[in-house]
Amino acid sequence: MIYQRLNDFPKDFLWGASTSAYQVEGAWDEDGKSPSIVDMLDHPPGTADFKVASDHYHRFREDVKLFAELGLKAYRFSIAWTRVLPNGTGEVNAAGLNFYRQLIDELLSHGIEPVVTLYHFDLPYVLEQQGGWSNRATIDAFVDYAGVLFDAFGDRVKYWLTINEQNTMILHPGAIGTPKGGVLPSKRVLYQQSHHMLVAQARVMALCHQRCPAGKIGPAINTTSMYQETCHPLDAIAAHNWETLRCWSFLDVAVHGRYNPLAWHYLLDRELAPQMEPGDAALLLQGKPDYVAINYYSTATIAASRGDASDISARAGDQQIMLGESGVYRAAENPFVGKTRYGWVIDPVGLRLTLRKTAERYHLPILITENGIGAPDELQADGTINDDYRIEFMRQHVEQMQLAINDGVELIGYCPWAAIDVVSTHQGYAKRYGFVYVNRGEQDLKDLRRIKKRSFDWYQRLIASDGRQR
Ligand code: BG6
């Protein structure tokens, strides 16, 4: 659709930025915090772990001041379950809760709307030792934990997110890192865990509505459109298979409270269908999100499965993320898109398409909670960081967002990844995403000084002009 006139971004649009607790905070064992599963991961030799990260725990006031200078209207961050409930459930750690109270108050004092993710990959290790998400007791633990946060912050936090990228945890668990011993759960186990997360999510959404009358809550799934490699009908079926299994199957349960039929039949056929307790179907229906959050980085191109082992390949040479499944789909190349230094597809138009599909499917407002480009940004001798590639990446995505709004999508905000440099999930500190550079190396912590990148000035201008000055 080429429009004759373009509408501007809405006046109350949430221009924001994102981080997650374990990737930014550091202070991994301070003030009563217990270890989470990510603290216990194996790190490839030479890469950063999460112990100090960006030291935000000790420097949050300085960071929030920078976010205010950037002009952020919203800051999306996660709360570390392990700070608030070091035993996973039960006794509340006042110091942990207090850290987030101070952070939220600091944001509000600068007019920045807090957007809080309850759980971003960092399950308490103590719960993992009791079976983690395979254990139904983790559902109750998550609901208790969410209740503590709703009671503590429900009067000042309006936007809540349940679980970050459940689909990544279930479909590509290696993307979060490698557990000691290197063994990842089987698909059967993962789909059972996924079911427990879906039930927990539905209960938490219902609880939010009960305890925080002004609160809004939604799921945050890594969502993207799939292209078919050719117009061969079997390529079209394969692309639809993978788009459904990877994205819609998770969002359909979150929004409609029932499993997607194609996904469910796939699970039955592969003997992967989770065991459901009586009452689960009713619980799933209780979850009524107010909005859908999407993390969008790239699209994928898909071909029909050849039905053999050649269907499986590593994404961009990264063995932690294997694509393809015999009988379902295989990954293909798209000659019409660019790629980042880490091999991720760059596809701004794909964002417009993904927004259209999400809006059409769920009829809910959409918040983009992640989008960005990982790059080995370099601090120059003159103290600058020239990340023009990031500016170009975001400029093009913002342009497509405006088109999507003109398409009728109710887009309420944009929180790119990341507000400040953070440790990547499994590719260390050299892979940076922030508007603010943190002066540290993989292991050499240097002085952790904050330095504004060129993209900081660009985003500041963009926000100040309500998205016009691109
Ligand atoms: C998202 C995650 O999938 O992608 C973030 O929610 C993550 O936690 C981001 O950091 C970028 O991925 P990576 O692997 O480059 O850190």
Side-chain angles (χ1 to χ4, degrees), residues 23 120-121 164-165 295 297 344 370 417 424-425 431 433:
Q23 293 175 275
H120 193 122
F121 302 156
N164 180 69
E165 294 198 2
N295 294 352
Y297 287 88
W344 293 24
E370 288 184 34
W417 189 263
S424 138
T425 53
K431 187 187 193 189
Y433 284 89

Side-chain angles (χ1 to χ4, degrees), residues 32-213:
K33 180 185 174 298
S34 68
S36 74
I37 50 172
V38 292
D39 292 320
M40 304 304 283
L41 294 172
D42 265 345
H43 298 278
T47 56
D49 59 25
F50 304 113
K51 290 193 165 78
V52 176
S54 304
D55 200 32
H56 175 71
Y57 187 78
H58 298 117
R59 299 168 192 242
F60 72 94
R61 289 191 202 279
E62 177 189 351
D63 291 344
V64 172
K65 206 164 157 223
L66 279 165
F67 301 162
E69 186 184 338
L70 184 56
L72 294 191
K73 310 273 188 243
Y75 172 52
R76 182 246 183 176
F77 62 97
S78 75
I79 289 187
W81 189 338
T82 48
R83 276 194 206 287
V84 176
L85 296 175
N87 299 319
T89 185
E91 203 180 331
V92 175
N93 174 32
L97 210 53
N98 196 37
F99 168 69
Y100 294 108
R101 183 171 294 114
Q102 291 181 65
L103 173 61
I104 290 167
D105 287 348
E106 194 71 15
L107 290 165
L108 292 172
S109 75
H110 284 96
I112 302 174
E113 187 80 55
V115 178
V116 176
T117 312
L118 297 172
Y119 166 51
H120 193 122
F121 302 156
D122 50 357
L123 186 74
Y125 190 64
V126 60
L127 294 182
E128 181 68 9
Q129 285 173 307
Q130 294 160 32
W133 282 106
S134 296
N135 182 351
R136 274 189 80 94
T138 299
I139 302 176
D140 292 333
F142 186 56
V143 176
D144 288 350
Y145 160 62
V148 170
L149 300 184
F150 295 151
D151 289 346
F153 306 130
D155 60 341
R156 52 198 101 173
V157 172
K158 182 167 162 200
Y159 292 96
W160 299 92
L161 298 158
T162 54
I163 300 177
N164 180 69
E165 294 198 2
Q166 180 179 334
N167 55 343
T168 301
M169 288 190 275
I170 301 306
L171 301 169
H172 303 298
I176 319 301
T178 312
K180 295 220 179 334
V183 182
L184 294 164
S186 68
K187 275 193 175 188
R188 174 85 193 77
V189 167
L190 286 163
Y191 275 108
Q192 187 65 50
Q193 294 185 349
S194 185
H195 177 67
H196 293 157
M197 288 185 202
L198 291 168
V199 171
Q201 170 169 263
R203 286 182 54 192
V204 159
M205 289 195 285
L207 188 70
C208 178
H209 292 135
Q210 245 174 44
R211 303 245 184 121
C212 317

Side-chain angles (χ1 to χ4, degrees), residues 20 26 37 47 55 69 105 141 144 158 163 167 169 220 240 247 250-251 255 261 265 269 278 289 298 323 332 352 418:
S20 87
I37 50 172
T47 56
D55 200 32
E69 186 184 338
D105 287 348
D144 288 350
K158 182 167 162 200
I163 300 177
N167 55 343
M169 288 190 275
H240 186 251
C247 308
F250 293 88
L251 282 172
V255 179
H265 282 85
D269 181 73
S298 46
L323 297 176
R352 181 183 184 186

